[in-house]
């Protein structure tokens, strides 16, 4: 099941750590920071983005 986040919401969401835009990874139910220096990946649970740095993981 893929997440459902409206495009208008995705356009205004930003990484809490560095303020860069986020990109949706719908197959993985995650939001990925687009900054090369940050690169945090935030989970989406029940179609709700969990934008907490403590809940994020670093990209590989």
């Amino acid at each position: 099941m893929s997440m459902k986040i409206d495009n208008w919401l995705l356009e205004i969401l930003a990484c809490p750590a560095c303020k860069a835009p986020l990109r949706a990874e719908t197959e993985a139910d995650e939001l990925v920071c687009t900054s090369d220096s940050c690169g945090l990946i935030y989970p989406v649970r029940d179609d709700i983005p969990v934008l907490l740095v403590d809940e994020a993981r670093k990209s590989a």
Side-chain angles (χ1 to χ4, degrees):
M1 183 159 91
S2 64
M3 65 180 170
K4 298 176 184 78
I5 296 181
D6 292 332
N7 286 336
W8 66 267
L9 180 58
L10 196 54
E11 287 176 14
I12 61 172
L13 289 177
C15 175
C18 73
K19 310 302 184 232
L22 295 171
R23 180 185 78 241
E25 290 290 337
T26 54
E27 296 304 315
D29 287 342
E30 295 175 325
L31 294 176
V32 180
C33 176
T34 58
S35 168
D36 290 336
S37 60
C38 180
L40 289 175
I41 301 172
Y42 298 91
V44 177
R45 297 186 186 119
D46 298 322
D47 295 330
I48 300 170
V50 181
L51 298 179
L52 300 171
V53 175
D54 290 347
E55 294 282 328
R57 64 180 176 86
K58 283 295 263 183
S59 61

